[in-house]
Amino acid sequence: WLFAIPPVFSDTDAMSRYFDRLKEPLKGKDLEDLEMMLRLREMVPAFFKKCVGDILRSRPKVVGFSCTFNQRVPALVLARMLKLEDPAIKIIVGGTYMDGVMGEAFSKAFDWVDVTVRGEGEKIIPGLLRDLLSAEQTVTPQPGLCTRNGERLDIHPESPETKADLNALPVPDYDEYFERIAGTELEQPGNIN
């Protein structure tokens, strides 16, 4: 609910009324925690606006989101905001939250998502990116993909053959992460372990 804001979630008045009712019986630390969360929620639109600006400055053709549990709502809102600013950007969503029927339902519900990767993506992402960056932008059917072609949604069955050998994958490079938090309060001991 912290990230459930427009342009995806538009009934903010109902949410405000809900939190007003929720506050009534609270006292002490519980009330302080809720009030802190409400203050954080007020900062979310500016945070998303900054994220959109940061991403668009690099002029991406494709933006991908990995969703596990709590990332799905912020990913949806940020993806929608990016699409509204630049409809040509292709949005890919994957991660454990997209496995199976969840990914299929997600694709059906949110038409600004161009591709949903169900199952492990390590083997199919290189080809998918080549397709999306090609002049035709036609996505080759691959196991587990849900692809949007105009108004049509193509859903391809998942396959155990897409399982990746994690030992064969390159070691991730996290340098940019540490560069971005350098000098911020996130850099404090205990925050980035």
Side-chain angles (χ1 to χ4, degrees):
W1 64 265
L2 184 66
F3 295 99
I5 64 167
V8 177
F9 302 92
S10 58
D11 196 354
T12 56
D13 289 338
M15 199 169 288
S16 293
R17 288 190 305 274
Y18 169 74
F19 288 113
D20 287 343
R21 284 193 312 270
L22 189 63
K23 281 199 286 190
E24 289 173 14
L26 296 178
K27 295 179 181 89
K29 177 90 170 93
D30 291 335
L31 182 58
E32 289 173 20
D33 288 348
L34 179 62
E35 287 174 346
M36 180 197 63
M37 295 303 287
L38 292 171
R39 285 191 305 276
L40 287 173
R41 183 175 164 76
E42 290 172 5
M43 297 178 199
V44 168
F47 170 72
F48 276 129
K49 185 176 180 182
K50 181 178 179 348
C51 291
V52 168
D54 288 349
I55 292 168
L56 292 179
R57 259 190 296 289
S58 66
R59 298 175 34 211
K61 293 183 178 9
V62 178
V63 176
F65 295 89
S66 182
C67 294
T68 58
F69 308 111
N70 295 329
Q71 293 98 358
R72 67 188 178 275
V73 171
L76 269 175
V77 174
L78 185 54
R80 182 69 179 137
M81 293 172 98
L82 287 166
K83 273 289 202 184
L84 289 172
E85 288 292 321
D86 184 353
I89 290 176
K90 298 298 181 187
I91 301 293
I92 302 174
V93 179
T96 57
Y97 188 76
M98 295 300 133
D99 285 353
V101 296
M102 292 184 295
E104 184 176 334
F106 191 89
S107 296
K108 289 176 180 176
F110 306 110
D111 64 358
W112 58 91
V113 174
D114 297 293
V115 180
T116 303
V117 179
R118 298 177 304 145
E120 294 181 15
E122 287 79 3
K123 287 186 176 180
I124 63 172
I125 287 292
L128 174 59
L129 290 174
R130 276 191 296 277
D131 290 349
L132 290 174
L133 296 173
S134 73
E136 297 84 33
Q137 296 185 354
T138 302
V139 176
T140 304
Q142 295 187 64
L145 290 184
C146 298
T147 57
R148 192 164 306 287
N149 296 303
E151 295 296 314
R152 191 179 79 230
L153 181 65
D154 297 323
I155 299 168
H156 306 284
E158 291 179 80
S159 168
E161 294 165 12
T162 61
K163 296 282 184 202
D165 176 5
L166 297 181
N167 292 323
L169 295 175
V171 176
D173 178 356
Y174 296 107
D175 289 347
E176 181 186 358
Y177 169 78
F178 290 105
E179 289 166 8
R180 284 179 172 248
I181 64 167
T184 71
E185 61 188 52
L186 291 176
E187 191 178 33
Q188 302 305 314
N191 286 343
I192 59 172
N193 296 339

